[in-house]
């Protein structure tokens, strides 16, 4: 797939010497391929049965670490809110 995109880009660049709009088309083709073509094919291959387990374990580790960081940040904000606004925090506790 990448070879076809590169060949198409080269053709569009060569056509661009006569009409500069073809250069814009070549740039758009490369952008779309890099944005959607290459990323989606690599994501499919790593999520399939042939994907490496160490990659998914590392991804799970970073996603858990990100979750833990968000949870800790939320807890810090809640403690700060209770400390700075004790009356509002008490009202919230009575509602629950």
């Amino acid at each position: 797939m990448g070879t076809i995109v590169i060949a198409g880009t080269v053709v569009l660049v060569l056509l661009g010497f006569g009409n500069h709009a073809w250069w814009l088309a070549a740039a758009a083709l490369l952008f779309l391929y890099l944005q959607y073509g290459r990323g989606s094919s690599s994501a499919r291959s790593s999520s399939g049965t042939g994907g490496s387990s160490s990659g998914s374990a590392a991804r799970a580790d970073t996603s858990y670490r990100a979750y833990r960081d968000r949870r800790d940040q939320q807890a810090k904000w809640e403690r700060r809110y209770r400390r700075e606004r004790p009356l509002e925090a008490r009202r919230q506790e009575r509602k629950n």
Side-chain angles (χ1 to χ4, degrees), residues 20-33:
H20 298 303
W22 291 111
W23 284 346
L24 292 174
L29 178 67
L30 278 178
F31 172 76
L32 290 174
Y33 174 67

Side-chain angles (χ1 to χ4, degrees), residues 63-80:
S63 65
Y64 178 70
R65 185 171 293 132
Y67 157 75
R68 215 174 47 205
D69 292 340
R70 289 191 308 269
R71 183 195 62 192
D72 293 345
Q73 183 67 39
Q74 181 69 29
K76 187 180 0 175
W77 286 336
E78 289 173 359
R79 285 191 302 270
R80 182 178 178 182

Side-chain angles (χ1 to χ4, degrees), residues 6-28:
I6 297 299
T9 304
V10 168
V11 168
L12 289 173
V13 166
L14 291 176
L15 289 173
F17 288 109
N19 183 359
H20 298 303
W22 291 111
W23 284 346
L24 292 174

Side-chain angles (χ1 to χ4, degrees), residues 29-46:
L29 178 67
L30 278 178
F31 172 76
L32 290 174
Y33 174 67
L34 292 175
Q35 190 73 24
Y36 300 108
R38 192 174 62 172
S40 64
S41 65
S42 65
R44 266 186 272 131
S45 66
S46 67

